[in-house]
Structure formats: C-alpha cells, structure tokens
Amino acid sequence: PRQPPQPTDRAPIAVLPFKPLTEGAEAALLGAGLAEDLTTALARNSDLRVINAVSARMASQRAENPVAAARSLGLRYVGDGSV
C-alpha cells in the first residue's frame, strides 16, 4: 500500500499575485486579493506547505517571470494567473 506523504516530502508552494488584464488599480487589487485568498485556503490544508502571500508578492515584484520568482523562493511549484 502507498504510504501517506511525510512532512519532509511536502514541497512548498506559493501563489503569486494574479496579473491584471486591464489597466487600473482595481484590477491589480483584485489580482492580489485573489492570490491572498487562495493562499489562505491552501494553507488550511495540513498536507500542504504554503509560502505566505507577502513573500510571494515580494518575489513576484522582483522577478521577471513566475519561474524566476519560484527560484528566488527556492520552490518547485508556484501558482499564477490573470484576472
């Protein structure tokens, strides 16, 4: 039988702020808010290790793309998208 993942087997993940498809502060705030809500929802799952929204947002701002943001956080997995 397959063993459940051990705490050390859980690769951490982060949700990057969603990029707005339109100009304006409202769209940017919506994208950031959705990412924070998704981060909070994922963090409720004890089987997941989730990087906090502030760290993910800062990495996203410094990096030129999601792959670079993931690398700067030492992650293999990130979620990103657009609104």
Side-chain angles (χ1 to χ4, degrees), residues 18 25-35 83:
F18 287 52
E26 269 186 33
L29 287 173
L30 176 63
L34 286 173
V83 293

Side-chain angles (χ1 to χ4, degrees), residues 4-82:
Q6 299 300 310
T8 57
D9 294 341
R10 299 178 299 158
I13 61 172
V15 180
L16 303 179
F18 287 52
K19 297 196 179 359
L21 294 176
T22 59
E23 295 294 321
E26 269 186 33
L29 287 173
L30 176 63
L34 286 173
E36 287 187 31
D37 287 349
L38 185 54
T39 297
T40 299
L42 289 171
R44 288 186 185 124
N45 184 329
S46 62
D47 292 331
L48 298 175
R49 289 178 45 208
V50 183
I51 301 300
N52 71 61
V54 173
S55 295
R57 183 173 57 248
M58 290 175 63
S60 178
Q61 291 170 348
R62 289 189 308 259
E64 61 186 63
N65 60 53
V67 173
R71 285 186 185 137
S72 75
L73 292 167
L75 304 176
R76 293 189 317 192
Y77 306 106
V78 294
D80 74 319
S82 55

